[in-house]
Amino acid sequence: MKERFSDIRLKAKGKSLFIPFYLFTFLFFIACAKMGSPDGGWYDDDPPKVVGSTPDDQSVNVTSKKITIYFDEFIKLDDASSKVVISPPQMEMAEIKASGKKVVVELQDSLKENTTYSIDFSDAISDNNEGNPMGSYAFTFSTGEHIDTFQVSGYVLDASNLEPVKGIMVGLYDDHADSAFKTKPMLRVSRTDSRGHFVVKGVAPGTYRAYALQDMDNDFRFSQRSEMLAFDHATFSPTSKPDTRIDTIWRDSLHIDALRPVPYTHFLPDDITLLAFTHVQTDRYLLKTERKDAERFSMYFTYGHQDLPVIRGLNFEADSAFVIETNERQDTIHYWLRDTMLVNQDTLRMEVSYMMTDTLGNLVSQTDTLDVLAKTPYEKRMKDKAKEIEKWQKEQEKKKKRDQPYDSIYPVQPLKPDIRIPSAMVPDAKIIVEMPNPLVRHDTAAIHLYSQIDSLWYEAAYVFKPVPGTIRQFEITADWRPATEYSLEIDSAAFENIYGQVSDKYKQGIKVKSLDELGTLTLNLSGVTDTVPLRVQLLNSSGAVTKEVVAAKNVAHFEHILPNKYYVSAYLDVNNNGRWDTGNYDADLQPEDVFFYNREIECKEKWDIKQAWNLTGTPRFKQKPLAITKQKPDAEKKLKNRNADRAKKLGIEYNSDKIVKVDKLK
């Protein structure tokens, strides 16, 4: 036993002597490997490739509803429910799954005879490890003897502002009757990307109409008035022609290696433009009732009505209890509580009678019993008020100890109007005065406007009037003279609200810009008829309207423009009501046309800019400048090309086939 143990010890000792050598050898090879390749080796920059499918792509006489597509590496599928589009449209959603190196699509609907099916994966497929996108990929097969290969493409824009509409469905009909859009599912479909662009594939020869639909119930037809839609009576026949495009070959992420002409099949039409809109909601029902502020409660309807709701109080007296404020459409109604006793009451129980749409689409009287609860209970409001008074008392005590002037009675809170004077006053500007709650009176004799002339102050004429359609907003307009100083002065108690609060004294100096600090812009318009009022709008860098004029004799003139960069839009006010109006499919009424000048306009001091603008000279989908487009294009999925970037950092010339060391590294 001893000898054996000794032998074992010697053997173990002998083995232990070799361990450092093995470790040294291993580390040596690792070091060599690192010298030979940067940071552990090159990345796999290649996208997945299709190596086969069942059935084959472009197969005919297919009877199987299961399609399996095989790839050369493990793949992943991103957001298949929204990115993968199948034509003809499937009434029952297909099952689409990625597993390992394959994608399996199982159609649930019965296959149609003699029909081309296209499964457009867009950019949903990428490799599992590096995320390299496959690019736009579509699989096609036919249940008949041939494959339909035509494609049509274009754009869907929001009719009100020419914003690209992302994710809306676009479909074709070969039935040109207006009723087809409401009674039949679409023949071929696609979906728009972030640019509003769509491509409908697998189209057969024929004559078609295109429609867009925000299909909320997945029946592939216009069945709900709340669905966004677009229609056009124009028909088209798909065609194709041989064409050439220029492809850019990149050496790395910064350098172009070559520009190469590439032949391709150009499918037409490729510029279909659909202007999408939503019907005015004429079905009327009560959306909600809320009481965010103790002083008022609000009722929100889907559509207005000339007759306001009739309210009968169940735990209060409703007669003369409210000051009613409505918006222009009378679908939003605010009830201001006159009596502070009601303001302090947490729950208002009432019976409300109003007109609503029944299941047959008729307006009928509806009566509901409602409990309207204050968002902040009276007890909490009183606690908050007590804390506020306590804080004030402590401040007065500190003043008293310091022998500073102090108040012994908590002051009555004044009415605080929001007086909005433009920071850069121009001769055609307005001052807006907004009250926090309704007034019982206002005294225009207590409002004074003075202008300075030769260092002396004189009374200046002004107009104080309500903003149309409101009860709490007022505007002050005057003949503002350029390069002149004014003083707006409002006496105390000029305004009194329904709770007896009165306003404090107010004084604010105003300096009007000189004409030398301003510019003008004149647009000579063409491309549209001058028989319909054209309202032209000057937009700031955020796309907000700063000025609006009605074109006269095909000329739109803007005066007193502050130096800045601007954009211009316009709309045809067909019914001359001063606002943009939507369309109506049943009445065959398109929304009012909107246009954008497709470039920025820079206005400078003392510059009188004149610009020609053909409103229809640029296709509608190219008109709105990207700088003020809210729906920005999504970043395209691209191959990462990290190998080229790494090679550049290491001083190595890179191409996709081999790595070649430059002379200095040899």
Side-chain angles (χ1 to χ4, degrees), residues 193-213:
D193 61 15
S194 60
R195 300 173 298 143
H197 186 251
F198 67 89
V199 181
V200 182
K201 300 179 179 180
V203 182
T207 305
Y208 298 91
R209 278 185 181 180
Y211 296 79
L213 181 65

Side-chain angles (χ1 to χ4, degrees), residues 69-327:
I69 306 170
Y70 301 96
F71 298 87
D72 64 343
E73 58 182 312
F74 291 99
I75 56 95
K76 58 185 176 183
L77 194 60
D78 176 40
D79 195 11
S81 60
S82 63
K83 287 190 174 183
V84 181
V85 179
I86 300 175
S87 274
Q90 303 295 290
M91 295 301 175
E92 188 172 351
M93 187 174 294
E95 291 184 7
I96 307 172
K97 297 178 181 178
S99 176
K101 297 182 179 182
K102 65 182 179 181
V103 169
V104 179
V105 179
E106 292 194 54
L107 304 179
Q108 304 301 308
D109 290 357
S110 299
L111 295 179
K112 298 179 180 180
E113 294 182 355
N114 300 315
T115 300
T116 296
Y117 281 76
S118 61
I119 306 172
D120 191 344
F121 290 90
S122 183
D123 62 353
I125 299 174
S126 58
D127 69 44
N128 191 57
N129 293 326
E130 306 296 346
N132 292 309
M134 187 176 175
S136 183
Y137 170 64
F139 183 90
T140 306
F141 68 89
S142 175
T143 58
E145 296 288 343
H146 69 280
I147 298 282
D148 296 319
T149 58
F150 284 129
Q151 300 178 13
V152 298
S153 58
Y155 296 83
V156 181
L157 309 175
D158 188 322
S160 66
N161 52 22
L162 301 194
E163 282 283 315
V165 181
K166 179 181 178 179
I168 195 169
M169 184 172 293
V170 180
L172 306 185
Y173 283 93
D174 58 5
D175 184 342
H176 303 161
D178 294 341
S179 60
F181 189 33
K182 301 183 73 173
T183 58
K184 297 180 178 181
M186 299 168 174
L187 289 177
R188 312 291 303 180
V189 294
S190 179
R191 200 178 296 275
T192 56
D193 61 15
S194 60
R195 300 173 298 143
H197 186 251
F198 67 89
V199 181
V200 182
K201 300 179 179 180
V203 182
T207 305
Y208 298 91
R209 278 185 181 180
Y211 296 79
L213 181 65
Q214 201 174 52
D215 192 17
M216 299 173 67
D217 53 3
N218 294 315
D219 63 354
F220 301 98
R221 58 189 179 90
F222 176 44
S223 56
Q224 300 184 35
R225 289 179 65 83
S226 57
E227 294 174 327
M228 190 179 222
L229 74 144
F231 69 99
D232 193 336
H233 291 315
T235 60
F236 55 87
S237 298
T239 60
S240 65
K241 64 177 182 178
D243 211 333
T244 303
R245 64 168 176 260
I246 302 298
D247 276 7
T248 303
I249 310 301
W250 292 88
R251 179 179 305 167
D252 53 43
S253 59
L254 296 176
H255 300 92
I256 295 175
D257 193 51
L259 297 175
R260 182 176 64 188
V262 177
Y264 75 105
T265 302
H266 190 161
F267 294 101
L268 299 168
D270 60 358
D271 58 355
I272 299 168
T273 304
L274 298 171
L275 301 174
F277 65 93
T278 304
H279 278 98
V280 170
Q281 176 61 268
T282 56
D283 290 342
R284 188 172 198 257
Y285 54 91
L286 180 62
L287 286 173
K288 65 177 179 177
T289 303
E290 66 181 9
R291 189 182 173 191
K292 287 185 177 180
D293 306 313
E295 296 84 4
R296 68 175 176 178
F297 67 89
S298 306
M299 301 180 72
Y300 300 89
F301 292 87
T302 55
Y303 192 65
H305 193 273
Q306 60 185 5
D307 297 330
L308 297 180
V310 176
I311 295 177
R312 183 171 72 88
L314 299 180
N315 65 346
F316 68 97
E317 181 55 55
D319 293 342
S320 303
F322 316 119
V323 174
I324 300 176
E325 177 185 9
T326 69
N327 64 352

Side-chain angles (χ1 to χ4, degrees), residues 6-23:
S6 177
D7 289 341
I8 292 170
R9 245 181 9 164
L10 286 171
K11 289 178 181 177
K13 186 177 180 180
K15 286 184 178 179
S16 67
L17 294 173
F18 284 91
I19 291 174
F21 177 78
Y22 291 144
L23 182 61

